[in-house]
Amino acid sequence: MRTVDLIQRKRDGEELAPEEIEYLVDGYTKGEIPDYQLSAFLMAVYFTGMSDREVSRLTECMLRSGESLDLSGIPGVKVDKHSTGGVGDKTSLIVAPLAAAAGVVVPMMSGRALGHTGGTLDKLESIPGLRTDLTPEQFTTQLKEIGLCFIGQSERLAPADRKLYALRDVTATIESVPLIASSIMSKKIAEGVDALVLDVKVGNGAFMKKQVDARRLAQMMVGIGRRVDKRVQALITDMSQPLGFAIGNALEVMEASQTLQGAGPEDLTRLSVELAARMIFLGKQSATLEEARRTAEKKLVDGSGYRKLKEAVAAQGGNPAALDKFELLPNATGMREIPSPRAGYVSQIAAEDIGTASNMIGAGRQRKEDQIDPAVGVILEVKVGEKVDAGSVLCRLYYTKEDRVDEAADMVEDAFRISSQKPDERELILEVVG
Ligand code: URA
């Protein structure tokens, strides 16, 4: 078999045989197929897609690239949650402790920043000392002890996804239904969950811009789960504007902490409670979804979700005090205000541009080997539908280096549309699949 022939056949829209997919995934994971050839293959998939048979095989090969954890020795239903990626989407930091505080065992395997979106691992690692590169043994011990653990893919768990994810991030091959579905499902199956709640984002700041594509992605992942006997439920949720007010790693940790203390933005709080409720219900900690919603709200209001997050942070070497004293988190050294050019209603905040601008000043990576700057990002002062005066502050840009601040500020400014008419309200939770 020759890699170039497989690239060519995929480029021409042919279906590859299971052993051909296996050859590509194994070869790349072992370092036998170079980045440039796999990049070309990913681009071919981006343009021509994959059949269900190919996606199933791709997921299976990525899963088999490493170990699969057996969590059956830990009592209780193990439920994880994963988002397909958005801007300002820090719900994992909120829903995982809420569900764990309600008695669900939450093994949370997350990813890093991808394209214009942020990653839970990068956000968590802005907490001084916190480590997410735990061994499978440390992971299972922590789950047994406190019911919640955050980890990333490693050399041992779904290493193929880890390599492919990093390559897709810098080769413009993220926005592909089969590549996203196999990436998410391979690592979730590898970590040994019983059930999974998915937040499939749709809109300007998501990888899926149209609801019909988001639905296809949701259905594909629910189907993959069904074939391996995992209960998967997907919410399709709006990502046409950033979620909450904060965008950027440490800034999002601060907002997640405030939300767990009952002082979070309305949209972020509402979505987090709904996702946590679905986890609580699938985790069999409530008889009905309605009861699960009440439990999730209670865990937020009584502070037990917040205490659970602190417990997990401490167990993973992080300083839990940083969740109260934000000066212990990395802080920006410079700030620029973006004023409204006119009076009117905020009718659009293009989430993708806000995410891209935030990455430009260091919140994400331009190349695989780049280090992110945890301190930088954007804080919105307004959300879609709000009335503003000319010159009032729309958002603030936080930075540590001057390099690309002007460019980022222009992009952020252009992300806002101010109209004379109040825009129609958009639903936050659009559909449930599964
Ligand atoms: N999240 C993932 O884990 N993988 C993707 O491809 C996109 C979002």
Side-chain angles (χ1 to χ4, degrees):
M1 229 179 275
R2 289 195 326 153
T3 307
V4 63
D5 299 330
L6 302 184
I7 299 171
Q8 185 177 357
R9 287 188 31 231
K10 187 43 49 199
R11 182 199 67 190
D12 296 342
E14 281 183 41
E15 185 183 40
L16 298 187
E19 57 279 13
E20 292 172 328
I21 306 263
E22 192 176 329
Y23 168 86
L24 288 166
V25 175
D26 285 0
Y28 184 62
T29 312
K30 289 183 190 138
E32 289 159 4
I33 297 178
D35 278 358
Y36 58 83
Q37 279 192 307
L38 214 87
S39 305
F41 174 75
L42 292 172
M43 191 56 87
V45 172
Y46 173 89
F47 281 114
T48 63
M50 274 187 157
S51 67
D52 282 353
R53 191 172 77 132
E54 287 177 304
V55 180
S56 287
R57 190 57 172 182
L58 178 60
T59 309
E60 198 184 314
C61 293
M62 287 163 72
L63 168 67
R64 293 228 188 106
S65 67
E67 295 169 21
S68 290
L69 293 182
D70 177 6
L71 302 181
S72 59
I74 304 173
V77 186
K78 275 66 73 180
V79 190
D80 193 358
K81 169 260 164 194
H82 200 85
S83 160
T84 57
V87 178
D89 181 5
K90 68 284 287 173
T91 53
S92 289
L93 302 181
I94 303 161
V95 303
L98 286 179
V104 182
V105 180
V106 185
M108 175 148 287
M109 188 194 270
S110 305
R112 299 201 174 275
L114 191 64
H116 64 277
T117 71
T120 302
L121 291 184
D122 293 324
K123 293 171 201 181
L124 277 167
E125 285 173 2
S126 64
I127 300 172
L130 189 136
R131 297 191 59 175
T132 55
D133 58 344
L134 308 182
T135 63
E137 293 72 25
Q138 290 168 323
F139 178 61
T140 42
T141 304
Q142 186 171 323
L143 278 178
K144 271 188 201 141
E145 284 170 359
I146 63 171
L148 169 62
C149 188
F150 296 97
I151 52 162
Q153 304 102 291
S154 63
E155 288 310 324
R156 289 171 69 178
L157 286 180
D161 178 54
R162 186 169 175 222
K163 285 193 81 175
L164 286 169
Y165 193 92
L167 188 62
R168 285 169 56 216
D169 189 24
V170 291
T171 55
T173 51
I174 300 165
E175 299 93 335
S176 150
V177 169
L179 295 180
I180 297 176
S182 54
S183 161
I184 293 180
M185 294 309 290
S186 61
K187 58 185 168 243
K188 297 293 149 178
I189 300 168
E191 73 173 343
V193 288
D194 301 309
L196 177 62
V197 175
L198 293 167
D199 184 5
V200 179
K201 299 281 184 203
V202 63
N204 171 282
F207 296 128
M208 297 296 112
K209 309 289 183 210
K210 296 195 215 120
Q211 201 161 327
V212 56
D213 294 328
R215 193 178 303 127
R216 245 185 76 229
L217 176 57
Q219 286 165 344
M220 191 177 272
M221 293 193 284
V222 170
I224 295 172
R226 194 173 296 132
R227 287 195 282 282
V228 293
D229 214 18
K230 311 276 178 209
R231 180 82 202 276
V232 181
Q233 204 169 65
L235 300 190
I236 300 181
T237 70
D238 181 60
M239 184 27 75
S240 56
Q241 64 174 326
L243 191 60
F245 293 105
I247 300 100
N249 298 286
L251 297 174
E252 293 192 42
V253 169
M254 296 176 201
E255 191 169 73
S257 171
Q258 287 164 336
T259 305
L260 279 169
Q261 295 177 79
E266 194 273 331
D267 58 347
L268 177 62
T269 305
R270 190 148 53 91
L271 181 55
S272 300
V273 166
E274 184 63 25
L275 291 166
R278 304 253 166 197
M279 292 174 77
I280 293 167
F281 182 59
L282 290 186
K284 300 198 168 49
Q285 298 299 315
S286 69
T288 64
L289 184 56
E290 217 24 72
E291 184 191 326
R293 288 192 180 109
R294 285 194 296 273
T295 305
E297 259 157 32
K298 181 164 175 286
K299 299 297 166 192
L300 188 100
V301 171
D302 71 10
S304 49
Y306 177 57
R307 288 192 291 279
K308 184 58 80 177
L309 179 62
K310 283 182 137 182
E311 220 180 319
V313 165
Q316 297 187 220
N319 182 358
L323 296 174
D324 301 309
K325 301 192 184 93
F326 295 158
E327 63 276 17
L328 297 175
L329 290 168
N331 273 281
T333 47
M335 188 270 286
R336 171 126 16 131
E337 291 184 340
I338 309 293
S340 178
R342 68 186 74 84
Y345 291 95
V346 179
S347 58
Q348 184 187 303
I349 307 175
E352 181 166 8
D353 291 343
I354 302 276
T356 304
S358 183
N359 284 356
M360 212 177 251
I361 52 172
R365 300 173 180 80
Q366 315 293 325
R367 285 165 307 165
K368 277 201 300 185
E369 50 286 352
D370 286 351
Q371 292 293 320
I372 59 151
D373 183 341
V376 303
V378 175
I379 302 267
L380 303 179
E381 286 300 315
V382 293
K383 298 282 285 189
V384 169
E386 280 181 44
K387 203 159 184 230
V388 290
D389 296 324
S392 64
V393 178
L394 296 175
C395 71
R396 295 186 167 82
L397 204 62
Y398 290 88
Y399 56 90
T400 56
K401 292 192 204 81
E402 297 278 345
D403 306 10
R404 301 186 69 190
V405 175
D406 289 341
E407 202 185 336
D410 287 346
M411 185 172 263
V412 167
E413 198 176 332
D414 288 347
F416 287 84
R417 289 274 167 282
I418 311 294
S419 325
S420 51
Q421 300 283 323
K422 191 170 168 49
D424 291 339
E425 260 186 48
R426 278 198 202 106
E427 290 290 331
L428 180 59
I429 300 170
L430 300 160
E431 262 180 73
V432 181
V433 177

